[in-house]
Amino acid sequence: MKKIPPRGPGKSSPRRRVLAQWRGVDVTPLEIARATSARNAADVLPALMKELRLDARQAEAEIVKVWNALIDPAVTAHAQPNNLHKGTLFVNVDSSAWLSEIVRYRRKEILDRLQNSFGKTVVQKISFRIG
């Protein structure tokens, strides 16, 4: 069905006048009210991206990828990043022995490598926890 473009108030096309006569009622105001106005994608996308948290999800996925590439495989076998919140990277470690090892001897090295890759504002500190 062909959409009828809305006209300003008081303006009526011959087609609309004939349809109104044939129907016995003028539904032009209803058709105009139901017409969906298109919006520019550039106006909609920023709000949509914010609502879906796509920027944060993309950053988290990138951190996991870099984590697996930069960090010692012995550490990545037992510790994986879980999420990033306000500059703190939360990392789940599978045992208390590995938690102790990482916190005591490798925390600074891991933080330096991640800050070199992402900058000091993205990853400000790391919180390790068993999980």
Side-chain angles (χ1 to χ4, degrees):
M1 180 173 185
K2 183 179 175 184
K3 283 237 180 211
I4 302 170
R7 294 184 180 247
K11 295 184 179 179
S12 179
S13 71
R15 180 175 191 267
R16 284 191 175 152
R17 285 193 301 270
V18 168
L19 282 174
Q21 276 183 332
W22 180 73
R23 290 176 181 156
V25 68
D26 187 11
V27 292
T28 303
L30 293 174
E31 288 175 343
I32 291 172
R34 255 200 276 154
T36 306
S37 60
R39 296 191 312 184
N40 190 352
D43 298 336
V44 175
L45 282 177
L48 181 63
M49 298 261 304
K50 185 176 181 180
E51 183 180 324
L52 295 176
R53 294 188 50 233
L54 291 181
D55 292 337
R57 290 179 184 177
Q58 183 179 6
E60 290 172 3
E62 189 68 25
I63 286 175
V64 170
K65 189 169 100 177
V66 170
W67 176 273
N68 290 328
L70 288 181
I71 309 302
D72 181 13
V75 173
T76 61
H78 299 281
Q80 285 293 310
N82 185 28
N83 69 355
L84 179 67
H85 183 70
K86 295 183 180 178
T88 302
L89 178 64
F90 294 93
V91 178
N92 290 340
V93 183
D94 64 359
S95 70
S96 59
W98 273 101
L99 178 66
S100 177
E101 164 78 17
I102 292 169
V103 170
R104 285 185 185 172
Y105 304 111
R106 300 185 184 218
R107 176 191 295 253
K108 179 74 173 133
E109 172 195 351
I110 292 170
L111 183 60
D112 288 343
R113 287 184 181 197
L114 291 174
Q115 285 179 340
N116 284 337
S117 293
F118 295 104
K120 293 187 178 192
T121 58
V122 176
V123 180
Q124 298 169 0
K125 62 182 180 177
I126 302 177
S127 175
F128 294 96
R129 58 187 175 196
I130 295 178

